[in-house]
């Protein structure tokens, strides 16, 4: 099935296809299925057989995981151009997470066998996938280190900075985290309690670091969060925050 022009134009933004010529990108995209998932529906559930590798074209996807106690934990958010469900390309396995559409989504989906053939034909795809999986592993290791060694305020600040990278939208007055997140969600992502997060965010609002806007958060002073995350003295110039 032919892809619409707008989808073809977005191929240059897809991490998995970086380094391929435009004609090669189109061949790879034409081998995929187009998958539309409505808000709050799922691409796959934790424990489902890993059948498809996905690349998001439009929307936002939330990756979550259930703990043995049945608690849902948010792991990360997927932005357009990013890959998810990559374990499907590695053979017989099940998805370790649930992928839920936070907004109406459009994605490309390749079954594992098709993606294996494409990787053999275009080794650059395999290299790109390996880089993305390695980056995700590094992110998990960083979060484990934060939980083991850092005080709560630094962990919450780092959580906000990750959310800015994953779903930040520049606006007048700061960077809007374009996601509907409860304080309980933020507590779980930071490895702390709802009480602690509520107290900390209320203080940050009083200090003008953040502002709550219609169930979303506007980060008014990203540099201040960088200073907290890096544990810099108040009078030290913080590093530039990553572009959303």
């Amino acid at each position: 099935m032919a892809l619409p022009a707008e989808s073809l134009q977005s191929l240059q933004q897809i991490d998995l296809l970086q380094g391929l010529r435009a004609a090669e990108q189109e061949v790879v995209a034409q081998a995929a299925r187009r998958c539309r998932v409505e808000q709050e529906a799922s691409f796959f559930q934790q424990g489902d057989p890993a059948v498809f590798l996905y690349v998001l074209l439009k929307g936002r996807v939330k990756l979550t995981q259930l703990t043995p106690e049945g608690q849902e934990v948010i792991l990360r958010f997927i932005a357009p151009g990013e890959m998810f469900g990559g374990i499907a390309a590695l053979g017989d396995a099940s998805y370790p997470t649930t992928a839920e559409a936070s907004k109406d989504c459009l994605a490309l989906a390749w079954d594992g066998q098709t993606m294996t053939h494409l990787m053999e034909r275009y080794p650059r795809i395999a290299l790109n996938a390996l880089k993305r999986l390695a980056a995700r592993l590094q992110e998990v290791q960083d979060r484990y280190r934060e939980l083991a060694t850092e005080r709560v305020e630094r962990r919450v600040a780092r959580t906000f900075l990750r959310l800015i990278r994953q779903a930040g939208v520049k606006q007048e007055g700061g960077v809007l985290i374009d996601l509907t997140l409860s304080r309980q969600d933020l507590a779980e992502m930071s490895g702390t309690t709802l009480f602690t997060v509520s107290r900390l965010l209320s203080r940050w609002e009083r200090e003008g670091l953040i502002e709550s806007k219609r169930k979303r958060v506007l980060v008014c002073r990203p540099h201040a969060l960088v200073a907290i995350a890096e544990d810099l003295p108040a009078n030290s110039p913080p590093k530039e925050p990553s572009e959303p």
Side-chain angles (χ1 to χ4, degrees):
M1 181 183 295
L3 291 169
E6 60 179 332
S7 295
L8 292 175
Q9 291 170 1
S10 68
L11 296 183
Q12 294 289 338
Q13 308 303 318
I14 294 176
D15 292 341
L16 192 65
L17 304 184
Q18 295 302 301
L20 298 181
R21 295 189 295 271
E24 295 172 333
Q25 291 178 339
E26 186 169 348
V27 169
V28 176
Q30 296 290 0
R33 304 182 186 186
R34 293 176 64 202
C35 181
R36 294 187 182 274
V37 176
E38 295 182 352
Q39 184 175 355
E40 297 186 356
S42 297
F43 284 89
F44 51 81
Q45 295 280 336
Q46 180 178 339
D48 286 349
V51 178
F52 292 104
L53 178 153
Y54 297 88
V55 166
L56 188 63
L57 296 179
K58 291 182 179 180
R60 191 82 62 183
V61 174
K62 177 173 68 174
L63 297 184
T64 63
Q65 192 170 64
L66 284 177
T67 68
E69 294 75 29
Q71 180 182 12
E72 183 182 81
V73 177
I74 298 173
L75 299 180
R76 79 182 323 271
F77 289 89
I78 302 296
E82 291 188 311
M83 174 188 79
F84 61 104
I87 195 169
L90 302 179
D92 294 335
S94 58
Y95 291 116
T97 62
T98 293
E100 178 185 308
S102 297
K103 300 179 178 180
D104 290 348
C105 290
L106 172 65
L108 297 177
W110 296 265
D111 64 75
Q113 184 176 20
T114 298
M115 180 51 67
T116 298
H117 291 160
L118 289 169
M119 287 180 171
E120 291 172 349
R121 182 176 179 183
Y122 305 112
R124 183 73 191 191
I125 298 176
L127 179 60
N128 290 339
L130 182 61
K131 286 181 177 179
R132 295 312 305 162
L133 292 173
R136 299 279 172 82
L137 177 59
Q138 182 64 53
E139 185 176 306
V140 170
Q141 291 174 332
D142 288 344
R143 291 181 68 173
Y144 179 79
R145 173 184 50 77
E146 291 167 15
L147 289 172
T149 64
E150 295 183 357
R151 58 190 175 87
V152 171
E153 189 174 22
R154 291 187 69 187
R155 298 204 306 265
V156 177
R158 288 186 186 277
T159 297
F160 270 98
L161 294 175
R162 274 194 291 268
L163 290 171
I164 286 174
R165 290 193 295 270
Q166 295 170 16
V169 178
K170 283 187 175 180
Q171 291 193 347
E172 183 178 355
V175 180
L176 180 71
I177 297 176
D178 191 23
L179 298 166
T180 302
L181 287 171
S182 68
R183 292 193 172 189
Q184 182 63 49
D185 292 332
L186 292 169
E188 291 170 0
M189 296 176 75
S190 306
T192 187
T193 65
L194 173 60
F195 174 77
T196 299
V197 163
S198 296
R199 185 177 58 180
L200 183 57
L201 297 192
S202 295
R203 175 161 65 81
W204 284 357
E205 285 202 71
R206 291 195 302 271
E207 295 174 352
L209 274 67
I210 63 172
E211 178 184 335
S212 296
K213 297 186 65 173
R214 297 180 182 177
K215 298 184 179 180
R216 286 168 168 76
V217 176
L218 179 71
V219 179
C220 306
R221 295 167 54 196
H223 288 81
L225 291 185
V226 173
I228 294 170
E230 299 295 334
D231 207 19
L232 298 174
N235 58 353
S236 296
K239 299 177 182 178
E240 288 289 328
S242 300
E243 289 292 328

